[in-house]
mmCIF file of all heavy atoms in Angstrom:
data_model
loop_
_atom_site.group_PDB
_atom_site.id
_atom_site.type_symbol
_atom_site.label_atom_id
_atom_site.label_comp_id
_atom_site.label_asym_id
_atom_site.label_seq_id
_atom_site.Cartn_x
_atom_site.Cartn_y
_atom_site.Cartn_z
ATOM 1 N N PRO V 82 25.171 -36.351 -13.882
ATOM 2 C CA PRO V 82 24.930 -36.984 -12.576
ATOM 3 C C PRO V 82 23.512 -37.555 -12.541
ATOM 4 O O PRO V 82 22.584 -36.939 -13.066
ATOM 5 C CB PRO V 82 25.068 -35.834 -11.582
ATOM 6 C CG PRO V 82 25.731 -34.727 -12.331
ATOM 7 C CD PRO V 82 25.338 -34.894 -13.753
ATOM 8 N N GLY V 84 20.649 -39.476 -9.967
ATOM 9 C CA GLY V 84 20.266 -39.936 -8.634
ATOM 10 C C GLY V 84 19.286 -41.081 -8.760
ATOM 11 O O GLY V 84 19.657 -42.210 -9.070
ATOM 12 N N GLY V 85 17.993 -40.760 -8.566
ATOM 13 C CA GLY V 85 16.967 -41.792 -8.712
ATOM 14 C C GLY V 85 16.382 -41.813 -10.117
ATOM 15 O O GLY V 85 15.646 -42.722 -10.468
ATOM 16 N N GLY V 86 16.669 -40.780 -10.888
ATOM 17 C CA GLY V 86 16.074 -40.697 -12.222
ATOM 18 C C GLY V 86 14.579 -40.403 -12.169
ATOM 19 O O GLY V 86 13.850 -40.629 -13.126
ATOM 20 N N SER V 87 14.118 -39.849 -11.038
ATOM 21 C CA SER V 87 12.686 -39.574 -10.898
ATOM 22 C C SER V 87 12.319 -38.159 -11.353
ATOM 23 O O SER V 87 11.170 -37.755 -11.262
ATOM 24 C CB SER V 87 12.253 -39.748 -9.437
ATOM 25 O OG SER V 87 12.784 -38.696 -8.654
ATOM 26 N N GLY V 88 13.319 -37.424 -11.820
ATOM 27 C CA GLY V 88 13.060 -36.065 -12.275
ATOM 28 C C GLY V 88 12.015 -36.063 -13.386
ATOM 29 O O GLY V 88 11.911 -37.017 -14.158
ATOM 30 N N GLY V 92 16.070 -33.647 -16.714
ATOM 31 C CA GLY V 92 17.370 -33.236 -16.164
ATOM 32 C C GLY V 92 18.480 -34.250 -16.362
ATOM 33 O O GLY V 92 19.653 -33.879 -16.453
ATOM 34 N N PRO V 146 8.688 -35.935 -0.385
ATOM 35 C CA PRO V 146 8.146 -35.827 -1.742
ATOM 36 C C PRO V 146 7.412 -37.118 -2.065
ATOM 37 O O PRO V 146 7.737 -38.171 -1.505
ATOM 38 C CB PRO V 146 9.406 -35.674 -2.610
ATOM 39 C CG PRO V 146 10.508 -36.275 -1.814
ATOM 40 C CD PRO V 146 10.146 -36.073 -0.368
ATOM 41 N N SER V 147 6.451 -37.056 -2.943
ATOM 42 C CA SER V 147 5.722 -38.289 -3.298
ATOM 43 C C SER V 147 6.670 -39.319 -3.895
ATOM 44 O O SER V 147 6.394 -40.507 -3.886
ATOM 45 C CB SER V 147 4.629 -37.987 -4.305
ATOM 46 O OG SER V 147 3.841 -36.944 -3.831
ATOM 47 N N SER V 148 7.776 -38.830 -4.403
ATOM 48 C CA SER V 148 8.756 -39.730 -5.020
ATOM 49 C C SER V 148 9.777 -40.238 -4.012
ATOM 50 O O SER V 148 10.825 -40.737 -4.411
ATOM 51 C CB SER V 148 9.487 -38.975 -6.128
ATOM 52 O OG SER V 148 10.073 -37.803 -5.581
ATOM 53 N N THR V 153 16.651 -39.546 -4.635
ATOM 54 C CA THR V 153 17.812 -39.550 -3.738
ATOM 55 C C THR V 153 18.030 -38.167 -3.110
ATOM 56 O O THR V 153 17.547 -37.157 -3.629
ATOM 57 C CB THR V 153 19.085 -39.906 -4.519
ATOM 58 O OG1 THR V 153 19.291 -38.898 -5.519
ATOM 59 C CG2 THR V 153 18.987 -41.275 -5.178
ATOM 60 N N GLY V 156 19.610 -35.831 -5.603
ATOM 61 C CA GLY V 156 18.648 -35.348 -6.601
ATOM 62 C C GLY V 156 17.753 -34.278 -6.006
ATOM 63 O O GLY V 156 17.438 -33.277 -6.657
ATOM 64 N N ALA V 159 19.868 -31.179 -5.817
ATOM 65 C CA ALA V 159 20.210 -30.669 -7.151
ATOM 66 C C ALA V 159 19.025 -29.979 -7.804
ATOM 67 O O ALA V 159 19.193 -29.070 -8.608
ATOM 68 C CB ALA V 159 20.713 -31.811 -8.028
ATOM 69 N N SER V 162 14.011 -29.802 -4.337
ATOM 70 C CA SER V 162 12.772 -30.543 -4.156
ATOM 71 C C SER V 162 11.936 -30.011 -2.971
ATOM 72 O O SER V 162 12.465 -29.380 -2.057
ATOM 73 C CB SER V 162 13.165 -31.997 -3.927
ATOM 74 O OG SER V 162 12.168 -32.721 -3.288
ATOM 75 N N ALA V 163 10.646 -30.302 -3.026
ATOM 76 C CA ALA V 163 9.762 -29.966 -1.907
ATOM 77 C C ALA V 163 9.014 -31.213 -1.460
ATOM 78 O O ALA V 163 8.548 -31.987 -2.297
ATOM 79 C CB ALA V 163 8.738 -28.911 -2.329
ATOM 80 N N GLU V 210 21.350 -28.601 -10.525
ATOM 81 C CA GLU V 210 20.916 -29.706 -11.384
ATOM 82 C C GLU V 210 22.063 -30.405 -12.113
ATOM 83 O O GLU V 210 21.986 -30.682 -13.316
ATOM 84 C CB GLU V 210 19.850 -29.204 -12.373
ATOM 85 C CG GLU V 210 18.627 -28.644 -11.654
ATOM 86 C CD GLU V 210 17.420 -28.425 -12.572
ATOM 87 O OE1 GLU V 210 17.410 -28.946 -13.681
ATOM 88 O OE2 GLU V 210 16.507 -27.706 -12.139
ATOM 89 N N GLY V 211 23.126 -30.632 -11.401
ATOM 90 C CA GLY V 211 24.239 -31.397 -11.969
ATOM 91 C C GLY V 211 25.075 -30.633 -12.971
ATOM 92 O O GLY V 211 25.935 -31.211 -13.628
ATOM 93 N N GLY V 214 28.672 -29.684 -10.675
ATOM 94 C CA GLY V 214 29.476 -30.758 -10.107
ATOM 95 C C GLY V 214 28.554 -31.834 -9.575
ATOM 96 O O GLY V 214 27.333 -31.760 -9.737
ATOM 97 N N ILE V 216 27.125 -33.589 -6.336
ATOM 98 C CA ILE V 216 26.964 -33.475 -4.885
ATOM 99 C C ILE V 216 27.241 -34.859 -4.308
ATOM 100 O O ILE V 216 26.642 -35.847 -4.744
ATOM 101 C CB ILE V 216 25.536 -33.012 -4.521
ATOM 102 C CG1 ILE V 216 25.272 -31.620 -5.106
ATOM 103 C CG2 ILE V 216 25.328 -33.013 -3.010
ATOM 104 C CD1 ILE V 216 23.815 -31.202 -5.083
ATOM 105 N N HIS V 302 1.345 -37.472 -8.076
ATOM 106 C CA HIS V 302 2.415 -37.447 -7.106
ATOM 107 C C HIS V 302 2.386 -36.253 -6.174
ATOM 108 O O HIS V 302 2.958 -36.306 -5.111
ATOM 109 C CB HIS V 302 3.776 -37.568 -7.771
ATOM 110 C CG HIS V 302 4.106 -36.457 -8.682
ATOM 111 N ND1 HIS V 302 3.636 -36.399 -9.965
ATOM 112 C CD2 HIS V 302 4.847 -35.367 -8.502
ATOM 113 C CE1 HIS V 302 4.112 -35.321 -10.542
ATOM 114 N NE2 HIS V 302 4.830 -34.673 -9.680
ATOM 115 N N HIS V 494 9.215 -26.656 -7.402
ATOM 116 C CA HIS V 494 10.031 -27.755 -6.881
ATOM 117 C C HIS V 494 10.448 -28.836 -7.860
ATOM 118 O O HIS V 494 11.225 -29.695 -7.492
ATOM 119 C CB HIS V 494 9.328 -28.410 -5.684
ATOM 120 C CG HIS V 494 7.991 -29.015 -5.996
ATOM 121 N ND1 HIS V 494 6.809 -28.334 -5.815
ATOM 122 C CD2 HIS V 494 7.635 -30.212 -6.488
ATOM 123 C CE1 HIS V 494 5.792 -29.106 -6.161
ATOM 124 N NE2 HIS V 494 6.262 -30.253 -6.580
ATOM 125 N N ASN V 530 26.664 -31.910 -17.181
ATOM 126 C CA ASN V 530 25.272 -31.946 -17.630
ATOM 127 C C ASN V 530 24.967 -30.888 -18.695
ATOM 128 O O ASN V 530 24.068 -30.046 -18.537
ATOM 129 C CB ASN V 530 24.331 -31.771 -16.427
ATOM 130 C CG ASN V 530 23.010 -32.489 -16.661
ATOM 131 O OD1 ASN V 530 22.797 -33.101 -17.709
ATOM 132 N ND2 ASN V 530 22.122 -32.422 -15.687
HETATM 133 C C1 FAD O 1 6.116 -40.296 -8.841
HETATM 134 C C2 FAD O 1 6.862 -39.041 -8.689
HETATM 135 C C3 FAD O 1 6.516 -38.152 -7.685
HETATM 136 C C4 FAD O 1 7.236 -36.969 -7.494
HETATM 137 N N1 FAD O 1 6.918 -36.140 -6.446
HETATM 138 C C5 FAD O 1 7.686 -35.082 -6.159
HETATM 139 C C6 FAD O 1 7.425 -34.283 -5.011
HETATM 140 O O1 FAD O 1 6.505 -34.511 -4.252
HETATM 141 N N2 FAD O 1 8.251 -33.231 -4.773
HETATM 142 C C7 FAD O 1 9.305 -32.955 -5.593
HETATM 143 O O2 FAD O 1 10.043 -32.024 -5.305
HETATM 144 N N3 FAD O 1 9.541 -33.660 -6.695
HETATM 145 C C8 FAD O 1 8.776 -34.725 -7.004
HETATM 146 N N4 FAD O 1 9.035 -35.480 -8.112
HETATM 147 C C9 FAD O 1 10.162 -35.103 -8.972
HETATM 148 C C10 FAD O 1 11.516 -35.726 -8.544
HETATM 149 O O3 FAD O 1 11.331 -36.799 -7.671
HETATM 150 C C11 FAD O 1 12.399 -34.692 -7.899
HETATM 151 O O4 FAD O 1 12.771 -33.752 -8.866
HETATM 152 C C12 FAD O 1 13.641 -35.255 -7.229
HETATM 153 O O5 FAD O 1 14.300 -34.190 -6.573
HETATM 154 C C13 FAD O 1 14.607 -35.914 -8.183
HETATM 155 O O6 FAD O 1 15.502 -36.724 -7.441
HETATM 156 P P1 FAD O 1 16.323 -37.900 -8.135
HETATM 157 O O7 FAD O 1 17.257 -38.454 -7.135
HETATM 158 O O8 FAD O 1 15.416 -38.853 -8.782
HETATM 159 O O9 FAD O 1 17.132 -37.079 -9.206
HETATM 160 P P2 FAD O 1 17.349 -37.356 -10.740
HETATM 161 O O10 FAD O 1 16.072 -37.410 -11.464
HETATM 162 O O11 FAD O 1 18.273 -38.500 -10.905
HETATM 163 O O12 FAD O 1 18.111 -36.022 -11.149
HETATM 164 C C14 FAD O 1 17.482 -34.769 -11.128
HETATM 165 C C15 FAD O 1 18.526 -33.696 -11.471
HETATM 166 O O13 FAD O 1 19.501 -33.620 -10.455
HETATM 167 C C16 FAD O 1 20.802 -33.964 -10.928
HETATM 168 N N5 FAD O 1 21.426 -34.784 -9.901
HETATM 169 C C17 FAD O 1 20.965 -35.932 -9.350
HETATM 170 N N6 FAD O 1 21.810 -36.350 -8.393
HETATM 171 C C18 FAD O 1 22.813 -35.458 -8.324
HETATM 172 C C19 FAD O 1 23.989 -35.328 -7.530
HETATM 173 N N7 FAD O 1 24.300 -36.209 -6.593
HETATM 174 N N8 FAD O 1 24.785 -34.280 -7.743
HETATM 175 C C20 FAD O 1 24.501 -33.357 -8.686
HETATM 176 N N9 FAD O 1 23.411 -33.430 -9.458
HETATM 177 C C21 FAD O 1 22.576 -34.461 -9.282
HETATM 178 C C22 FAD O 1 20.567 -34.671 -12.245
HETATM 179 O O14 FAD O 1 21.658 -34.505 -13.120
HETATM 180 C C23 FAD O 1 19.308 -34.001 -12.735
HETATM 181 O O15 FAD O 1 19.624 -32.803 -13.368
HETATM 182 C C24 FAD O 1 8.310 -36.646 -8.356
HETATM 183 C C25 FAD O 1 8.649 -37.535 -9.396
HETATM 184 C C26 FAD O 1 7.932 -38.720 -9.562
HETATM 185 C C27 FAD O 1 8.340 -39.613 -10.650
#
Side-chain angles (χ1 to χ4, degrees):
Chain V
S87 71
S147 308
S148 56
T153 62
S162 159
E210 300 193 15
I216 298 167
H302 63 279
H494 61 266
N530 210 359

